[in-house]
């Protein structure tokens, strides 16, 4: 008997999913997250599904340690070492304004103050040829300052190191000789071997800022698991949607920045595959936030760069859009109108219905007042909700707005739903994507409660609620592949393209990617490599990533014409226009290695017999007698209105909608307008 286990460590709960490889059974559970020592919450959750860690054959988890350190500005103290004359690159940043009409707009405060930036002479030209040797004494002075002043990390960013990293490599050798393991040394070409000095510097600084926190956490988790008998490597979710073992994650901690939320996207990829759908919108609604991501043509929507807290980062990253809308979002008045969020009641005191001292009305309180939550069996019966406290909180705000409490409760939900629908439009409509062509996959503790209403706002006809929606991100991690991304700068106008040379460079990247997968313990029969090239029209600043059939394609006759046509099609899809007659140029080669593990079974458990209860629920201002059904007892087609409850979430099926459980255990809801 062996188990495949995944764990998602959130701010409030630690979710765990366990797949029994012998019986095919899937179990999900959770335990409160323990901020003082996250390992305690991890083992508490694990103990509810696996008695003996030595029986675990595969273990993966997502962590928000690095992201939390950034959000809370509790990262490491970083010393930045740049080339002579480039000291202010990080401070100047970019001149573009993210919010053009905000009169008091300020760029994000740099994570490294100007006084903590040092220079080292030495210069390469744009071809990577040395113009001036590296000043090794300047590097040693930086090491001495780091030791004397207690810096936690040093980020090294030298000009044109993405073409020739020799100076950075030598600087790293000196720093590690002088500092040992006491100070984390980050070299920009190892973080992001890509052009654009500010973006590469920002990426290196982010890794240095979050790295020590992530490394300490992963080291502790590995040690604690080993002490309890875990005999396999600990794997970690990357921001790209792929997995790596903890050893690599400790060397490249920036890759874990969005480790937790991305698990839900990979679950959406697996769900789309099982459902036979190409496109899906993944929505994760928890207590505080609402995360949106896309599955397009069966793949996660991944970009080669992103901005996190205003800082650019060069690495493959799943496109996630997050807003402050969750079950704990507080309803209030602003200029005589209703406002919902982004402030949240959190876990403590939480919504008024939790009975922990909260008095302000939240989205969860509104759902309780409307009868859309079973107060006696919330979270599988782990918590009994205080209906009277929820009613009092909503009625108090209703009196302020001179509204009926039930009308206000529906208004709170409507405002929240509109905000979440707009968040989806940000990733779809604003990028030329039609949401009506997608299924809506809803998960998180509150996602299935609001999914149909959000779908109606967007004209989406189908909502999918997976099994264990509250632990779906953890399940998604079991469905992810090991992933390693490699890049090689390749600046060539089309007239100078040597297809044979490009193919040779891609073959080198493929060999390195396969070797990296071997180092991750992936068997040879489960490895594959995909290739792409970043292109642009001559004179453009931005690029698009164009997939290639294989590493040898650039050497084939007609390659330039074919790839230019592909680029024009991608340009139309992304920007609505193209200039096919314009010359193109190549900027970057990308190769991604994937290692596939066996997929988990998803068949639903045997049906249980549990008589439904019936309660009054408000929909569109009217009272409807509504059955409350246990998900484990569902059978056949369900006609709305209905409330479906399970251990990790509640699903609301409004009047006029039809739902049924498919062969994989997904609850499929057909949405009517």
């Amino acid at each position: 008997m062996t188990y495949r286990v995944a764990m998602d460590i959130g701010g409030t709960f630690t979710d765990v999913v366990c797949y029994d490889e012998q019986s095919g059974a899937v179990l999900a559970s959770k335990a409160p997250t323990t901020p003082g020592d996250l390992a305690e919450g991890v083992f508490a959750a694990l103990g509810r599904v696996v008695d003996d860690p030595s029986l675990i054959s595969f273990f993966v988890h997502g962590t928000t340690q690095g992201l939390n350190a950034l959000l809370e500005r509790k990262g490491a103290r970083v010393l930045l070492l740049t080339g002579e004359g480039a000291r202010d690159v990080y401070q100047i940043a970019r001149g573009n304004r993210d919010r053009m009409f905000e009169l008091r707009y300020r760029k994000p405060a740099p994570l490294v103050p100007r006084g903590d930036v040092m220079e080292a002479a030495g210069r390469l030209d744009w071809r990577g040829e040395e113009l001036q040797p590296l000043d090794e004494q300047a590097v040693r002075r930086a090491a001495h300052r780091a030791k004397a002043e207690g810096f936690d990390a040093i980020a090294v960013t030298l000009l044109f190191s993405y073409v020739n990293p020799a100076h950075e490599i030598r600087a790293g050798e000196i720093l590690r000789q002088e500092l040992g393991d006491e100070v984390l040394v980050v070299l920009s070409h190892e973080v992001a071997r890509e052009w654009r000095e500010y973006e590469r510097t920002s990426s290196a600084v982010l890794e240095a800022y979050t790295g020590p926190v992530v490394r300490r956490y992963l080291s502790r988790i590995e040690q604690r698991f080993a002490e309890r008998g875990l005999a396999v490597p600990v794997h970690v979710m990357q921001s790209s949607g792929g997995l790596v073992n903890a050893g690599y994650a400790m060397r490249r901690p920036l890759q874990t920045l969005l480790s937790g939320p991305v698990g839900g996207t990979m679950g959406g990829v697996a769900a789309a595959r099982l459902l036979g759908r190409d496109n899906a919108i993944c929505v994760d609604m928890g207590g505080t936030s609402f995360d949106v991501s896309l599955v397009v043509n069966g793949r996660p929507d991944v970009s080669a760069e992103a901005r996190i807290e205003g800082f650019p980062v060069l690495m493959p990253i799943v496109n996630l859009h997050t807003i402050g809308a969750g079950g704990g979002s507080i309803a209030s008045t602003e200029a005589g109108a209703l406002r919902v969020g982004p402030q949240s009641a959190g876990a403590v005191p939480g919504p008024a219905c939790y009975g922990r001292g909260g008095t302000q009305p939240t989205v969860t309180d509104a759902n309780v007042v409307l009868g859309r939550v079973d107060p006696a069996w919330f979270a599988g019966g782990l918590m009994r909700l205080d209906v009277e406290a929820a009613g009092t909180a909503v009625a108090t705000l209703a009196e302020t707005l001179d509204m009926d409490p039930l009308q206000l409760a529906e208004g709170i939900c409507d405002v929240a739903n509109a905000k979440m629908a707009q968040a989806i439009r940000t990733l779809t409509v604003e990028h030329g994507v039609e949401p009506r062509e997608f299924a809506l996959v809803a998960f998180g503790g509150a996602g299935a409660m609001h999914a149909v209403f959000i779908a109606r706002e967007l004209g989406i006809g189908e909502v999918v609620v997976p099994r264990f929606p509250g632990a779906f991100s953890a399940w998604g991690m079991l469905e992810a592949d090991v992933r390693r991304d490699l890049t090689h700068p390749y600046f060539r106008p089309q007239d100078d393209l040597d297809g044979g040379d490009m193919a040779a460079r891609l073959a080198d990247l493929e060999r390195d990617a396969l070797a990296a997968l071997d180092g991750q313990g992936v068997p040879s029969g489960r490895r594959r490599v995909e290739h792409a090239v970043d292109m642009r029209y001559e004179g453009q600043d931005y690029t698009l990533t164009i997939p290639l059939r294989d590493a040898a394609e650039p050497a084939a006759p007609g390659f330039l014409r074919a790839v230019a046509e592909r680029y024009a099609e991608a340009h139309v899809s992304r920007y609505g226009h193209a200039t096919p007659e314009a010359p193109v140029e190549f900027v970057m080669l990308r190769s991604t290695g994937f290692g596939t593990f066996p997929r988990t079974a998803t068949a639903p458990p045997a049906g249980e017999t549990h008589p439904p209860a019936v309660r009054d629920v408000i929909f569109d201002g009217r009272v409807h007698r509504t059955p409350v059904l246990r998900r484990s007892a569902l059978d056949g087609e369900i006609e709305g209105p209905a409330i479906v409850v399970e251990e990790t979430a509640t699903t609301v099926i409004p009047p006029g909608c039809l739902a049924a459980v498919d062969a994989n255990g997904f609850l499929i809801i057909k949405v009517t307008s």
Side-chain angles (χ1 to χ4, degrees):
M1 184 179 297
T2 55
Y3 304 98
R4 293 169 55 80
V5 176
M7 192 168 290
D8 179 23
I9 305 171
T12 305
F13 287 102
T14 295
D15 302 318
V16 60
V17 171
C18 174
Y19 171 62
D20 187 328
E21 293 182 308
Q22 183 175 4
S23 68
V26 180
L27 299 176
S29 187
K30 60 176 56 189
T33 296
T34 49
D37 182 2
L38 291 176
E40 292 301 320
V42 166
F43 289 116
L46 184 64
R48 297 181 179 182
V49 293
V50 178
D51 294 328
D52 184 359
S54 68
L55 298 177
I56 297 175
S57 63
F58 179 82
F59 178 76
V60 59
H61 85 303
T63 174
T64 56
Q65 286 290 287
L67 182 61
N68 290 343
L70 175 61
L71 295 176
E72 298 171 11
R73 294 299 189 270
K74 294 181 179 179
R77 187 184 178 195
V78 179
L79 181 67
L80 176 59
L81 180 63
T82 72
E84 189 175 44
R87 178 182 182 184
D88 292 317
V89 165
Y90 184 60
Q91 306 295 319
I92 294 171
R94 295 292 179 189
N96 54 301
R97 293 172 62 108
D98 292 333
R99 295 181 291 277
M100 292 183 62
F101 301 105
E102 185 176 326
L103 297 179
R104 298 183 180 181
Y105 171 76
R106 294 290 183 272
K107 289 187 289 189
L111 299 175
V112 178
R114 189 172 187 273
D116 291 342
V117 183
M118 298 181 67
E119 298 180 1
R123 193 66 174 260
L124 305 173
D125 67 11
W126 66 274
R127 294 176 296 254
E129 296 178 3
E130 186 176 81
L131 300 177
Q132 179 184 359
L134 177 67
D135 183 353
E136 297 188 0
Q137 291 305 312
V139 178
R140 288 189 170 87
R141 286 194 293 273
H144 296 159
R145 180 182 173 186
K147 184 182 294 184
E149 298 184 18
F151 284 89
D152 303 298
I154 295 182
V156 182
T157 308
L158 303 180
L159 292 175
F160 300 112
S161 60
Y162 61 90
V163 181
N164 179 2
H167 281 186
E168 279 196 358
I169 291 173
R170 179 56 185 150
E173 291 172 350
I174 294 170
L175 292 171
R176 288 168 180 136
Q177 288 171 359
E178 296 284 344
L179 299 170
D181 295 330
E182 297 177 15
V183 177
L184 173 64
V185 177
V186 174
L187 308 180
S188 72
H189 77 276
E190 294 179 345
V191 179
R193 194 165 181 175
E194 301 189 30
W195 67 301
R196 289 179 297 177
E197 294 304 319
Y198 167 61
E199 285 77 6
R200 183 160 48 84
T201 300
S202 174
S203 301
V205 168
L206 279 169
E207 177 150 301
Y209 187 77
T210 61
V213 173
V214 174
R215 291 176 73 183
R216 284 194 297 270
Y217 166 72
L218 290 177
S219 177
R220 180 173 176 77
I221 284 289
E222 277 204 313
Q223 179 184 351
R224 296 283 292 275
F225 266 104
E227 291 171 354
R228 298 194 180 212
L230 184 71
V232 295
V234 173
H235 285 80
V236 183
M237 196 76 190
Q238 298 182 96
S239 302
S240 63
L243 308 177
V244 290
N245 62 35
Y248 177 81
M250 283 189 276
R251 296 193 300 274
R252 295 274 73 83
L254 183 64
Q255 301 290 335
T256 70
L257 203 58
L258 295 181
S259 175
V262 166
T265 307
M266 300 314 296
V269 172
R273 183 184 69 249
L274 293 167
L275 292 164
R277 310 286 196 275
D278 289 332
N279 302 321
I281 298 171
C282 305
V283 295
D284 182 358
M285 183 181 180
T288 302
S289 64
F290 177 78
D291 299 325
V292 185
S293 57
L294 301 180
V295 177
V296 181
N297 295 324
R299 294 170 172 267
D301 180 26
V302 177
S303 291
E305 60 181 285
R307 296 184 71 86
I308 301 177
E309 285 295 286
F311 300 109
V313 56
L314 296 175
M315 68 176 180
I317 190 167
V318 170
N319 286 320
L320 280 167
H321 183 58
T322 302
I323 63 170
S329 293
I330 295 172
S332 59
T333 59
E334 183 175 302
L338 175 64
R339 181 183 179 91
V340 180
Q343 292 78 21
S344 173
V348 178
C353 61
Y354 280 14
R356 296 173 178 169
T359 57
Q360 294 177 288
T362 66
V363 174
T364 297
D365 292 313
N367 278 300
V368 170
V369 169
L370 295 171
R372 298 177 184 176
V373 179
D374 184 354
W377 211 71
F378 185 74
L382 294 177
M383 181 185 297
R384 188 176 185 89
L385 300 182
D386 189 335
V387 178
E388 184 177 348
T392 300
V394 171
T396 301
L397 181 61
E399 185 177 353
T400 302
L401 292 168
D402 193 24
M403 293 178 66
D404 176 77
L406 291 179
Q407 183 185 22
L408 176 62
E410 277 205 285
I412 291 171
C413 291
D414 289 344
V415 170
N417 293 335
K419 288 181 62 176
M420 292 184 281
Q422 184 56 41
I424 293 173
R425 292 188 185 97
T426 300
L427 276 189
T428 55
V429 176
E430 293 183 13
H431 292 272
V433 176
E434 175 53 71
R436 286 177 292 187
E437 297 175 359
F438 287 65
L440 187 70
V441 180
F443 50 96
M449 199 179 303
H450 292 260
V452 173
F453 304 97
I454 297 170
R456 281 176 170 171
E457 288 258 355
L458 298 166
I460 295 172
E462 184 177 78
V463 169
V464 179
V465 182
R467 290 182 62 200
F468 316 120
F472 187 67
S473 290
W475 181 78
M477 294 175 194
L478 287 182
E479 296 294 312
D481 295 331
V482 171
R483 175 171 175 155
R484 288 293 300 275
D485 293 274
L486 302 176
T487 60
H488 182 80
Y490 200 80
F491 295 92
R492 299 287 192 282
Q494 66 177 40
D495 293 340
D496 293 342
L497 177 65
D498 181 340
D501 179 70
M502 180 185 283
R505 300 296 178 92
L506 288 169
D508 290 341
L509 289 176
E510 180 167 330
R511 185 172 56 252
D512 293 343
L514 291 173
L517 294 175
D518 182 56
Q520 294 286 313
V522 180
S524 59
R526 295 186 176 274
R527 305 174 201 159
R528 76 179 193 278
V529 181
E530 297 180 358
H531 304 278
V533 58
D534 285 2
M535 297 175 61
R536 62 188 179 188
Y537 289 125
E538 285 188 3
Q540 283 183 329
D541 179 60
Y542 56 86
T543 63
L544 293 175
T545 300
I546 307 303
L548 302 176
R549 290 196 305 269
D550 52 40
E553 185 187 359
F559 167 71
L560 181 59
R561 182 182 67 257
V563 78
E565 289 175 355
R566 259 180 263 166
Y567 177 74
E569 292 171 0
H571 206 280
V572 170
S573 176
R574 179 64 180 85
Y575 299 107
H577 67 91
T579 313
E581 67 277 7
V584 298
E585 58 186 9
F586 303 89
V587 177
M588 185 75 63
L589 303 180
R590 299 185 183 276
S591 296
T592 303
F594 294 94
T596 304
F597 287 106
R599 304 300 184 189
T600 59
T602 56
E608 299 177 4
T609 301
H610 196 282
V614 179
R615 58 184 297 112
D616 289 340
V617 181
I618 307 298
F619 292 102
D620 296 322
R622 294 174 52 202
V623 177
H624 293 258
R625 294 294 289 167
T626 303
V628 180
L629 310 168
R630 296 284 178 93
R631 176 139 183 192
S632 57
L634 294 182
D635 184 29
E637 195 171 71
I638 306 155
E639 185 174 354
I643 306 295
V644 179
V645 297
E646 56 186 301
E647 287 81 356
T648 62
T650 297
T651 300
V652 176
I653 305 172
C657 296
L658 294 175
V661 177
D662 74 355
N664 293 303
F666 295 116
L667 180 61
I668 312 295
I669 305 172
K670 299 299 181 182
V671 180
T672 56
S673 59

